[in-house]
Amino acid sequence: MTEAHREFEERSNAGTSLNFIEQIVEEDIAAGKNGGRVHTRFPPEPNGYLHIGHAKAICLSFGLADKYGGQTNLRFDDTNPVTEDTEYVDSIKNDVHWLGFDWENEFYASDYFDQLYQFAETLILKGLAYVDDSTAEEIAAQKGTPTEPGRANQYRDRSVDENLDLFRRMKAGEYPDGAKVLRAKVDMASPNMQLRDPIMYRIKHAHHHRTGDAWCIYPMYDFAHGQSDAIEHITHSLCTLEFEVHRPLYEWFIQKLDIFPSRQIEFSRLNLTYTVMSKRKLKQLVEEGHVTSWDDPRMPTIAGLRRRGYTPASLREFCDRIGIAKRDNLIDVGLLEFCIREELNKTTHRVMAVLTDGRPDGKPLKLVLTNYPEDKVEELNIENNPEEAEMTYRRVPFSRELYIERDDFMENPPKKFFRLFPGGMVRLKGAYIIKCDEVVKDDTGEITEIRCTYIPESRSGSDTSGINVKGTIHWVSVPHAVEAEVRLYDRLFSVENPAADEREFLELLNPNSLEVVRAFVEPALVEAARSGTQTNFQFMRKGYFILDSDSTPERPVFNRTVTLKDGWAKEQKKS
Ligand code: ATP
Ligand code: MG
């Protein structure tokens, strides 16, 4: 049993008791809070593509609302004009839908800019906000440290009128970037650094993807997020643990503004082994060409996982398995792979594909059945998936010349080699037992062909030969085979936790995260993939694969989703 499998078992045995967020929600419902209503939101910043960590947050917020008959808003937290883009907005909507969720409302924090501005003036009028002319460095220096209190500066005592005038002039564009900020007047001596007069607004003369040039001051996260929750009457606002220390501020704004009391609840961030989860780093990988795109199948993005062959159900299953915790943790990517393997094992057709080595002209091994008629073609019925409740079959052409994997033949085999060797016998999957009679080589000594005889009465399903063989190998018929490109993906990083490593994360990239090989596949599989009747496949003995969007009519491309077994764990133990 692998580590991932054990984790899986433990979690499935954990029972059906409520998690701590569900407990809070049920207490609120029981207490009649918000009339028993449950309304959550998912608040991505449109500054990159969603990753598997976001999938966890999505499953949680949408799942909670579903469970308690509530609703979920999709809210774009677009308060930072310089990093945001509509390309990201579109990808986020697409990914949430693909995961299987639908939102009640699509909102944008930028739609609340007027309202937020009014809230800010309200706080100024109450003497709870002030304009500060200090530089960013000065503000940081005055902020103190966790063990030393911060220091108030001379701007803190500005009059309400002066603050109102200056804030209006900030909005009118009278000052350059960085000249002034608006701060909440909370407590410079608070043990919680977040409460030491946090910045509410900064000046930024920048074009916003939705509001254009209407604004040159933009609210900070802390002054946009909670207020947006309140405006939308969100009952339970779920966010990751790093916001726990922001909660007192979240509540301070709500209380001082006397607005809808949304409740913030924090849960642990998902971190996954052998990858990074920060959008900034993922963006760097794309922009510097370390991967081909945001949806490169090696990326932990939802788009990348989709292209890799992951299904929405497998990602939801994974999010369910990892559960939620109040402590950040690092989850073994093996668990994610376990979830997709489990599903694909049940759903995919077992098909035959012969892979070659990494060279562009990599050649499979040709096998000639000398006693099989030259122009004969049989259409063999081969079962699609032994896991199916009701067995289905497909037709696979069989002829005198076949391709097999080079690995499935050895001229001088070691003991217990149950595949093909001179004088040895194997079964060709779904077809006949064959015997290897002769090896043909070219001038350089490379094997170009092996010549075999087949046993006519050994046909699978009607075998009367009485011969028992230990090995079964897969094959494709040479005249019917379709040439394909196969992309074998592996972990993007070669260390378990790149984020915790002292070295620059780019130095930790796995140089062998992609191997491209030439392959020959059954014709039916290409047809099925192109028509969309089957998108994921098991290439027998090789792993699970999916047709890639880079395919051309001449040359299909397949991505390896995952190997059949967790080979990586074994490798790691050896080294
Ligand atoms: P990053 O630091 O990668 O940019 P972020 O937290 O800034 O991520 P947002 O777009 O602000 O990204 O996140 C939207 C929601 O998804 C937030 O509620 C956030 O807490 C949650 N989220 C982001 N990353 C993770 C993660 N790794 N695990 C669980 N939830 C996450
Ligand atoms: Mg963020």
Side-chain angles (χ1 to χ4, degrees), residues 41-47 50-58 77 92 221 225 238-243 267-271 277-280 282:
R41 87 290 170 262
F42 174 63
E45 186 179 350
N47 62 350
L50 297 181
H51 51 58
I52 179 86
H54 292 114
K56 172 179 176 176
I58 291 167
D77 187 358
I92 288 169
Y221 173 87
H225 194 81
L238 312 184
C239 62
T240 36
L241 276 176
E242 68 271 24
F243 295 105
F267 63 91
S268 60
R269 247 184 134 72
L270 167 65
N271 297 301
M277 215 67 98
S278 130
K279 270 187 275 183
R280 182 183 59 77
L282 295 176

